[in-house]
Amino acid sequence: MSWNYRVMKHTDGMGEWYFLHEVYYDKGKVVNCTENPIAPFGETPKELQQNLELMKKAFDKPTLSYEEM
């Protein structure tokens, strides 16, 4: 199983908004995502920067719908 960060659209009766989530794949197909949005993190400034670089790649992929997960 692999994972990456993806932009996910959340909607309700009052509007829509976007967050980053970790998304998990099995054989290339999305099978799950984190229940809550994620925030950048790192134990050092360098790790934080590396995490942000991974998050930036999410904007190169299509947006997913949280409600369809």
Side-chain angles (χ1 to χ4, degrees):
M1 186 176 287
S2 62
W3 70 275
N4 63 11
Y5 295 113
R6 295 290 294 267
V7 176
M8 298 192 81
K9 179 172 82 170
H10 294 246
T11 58
D12 66 12
M14 297 175 55
E16 63 185 38
W17 56 97
Y18 298 83
F19 289 106
L20 288 176
H21 287 264
E22 290 179 4
V23 172
Y24 300 90
Y25 301 84
D26 188 21
K27 298 177 185 169
K29 181 179 176 181
V30 175
V31 293
N32 208 350
C33 72
T34 53
E35 181 176 352
N36 297 310
I38 51 90
F41 65 93
E43 293 182 2
T44 65
K46 182 68 174 174
E47 284 183 9
L48 177 61
Q49 182 180 19
Q50 290 169 338
N51 190 244
L52 282 169
E53 291 300 320
L54 290 174
M55 289 178 170
K56 284 173 40 177
K57 292 179 182 181
F59 295 94
D60 296 333
K61 297 177 177 20
T63 299
L64 301 174
S65 169
Y66 181 78
E67 284 71 28
E68 292 179 10
M69 292 298 296

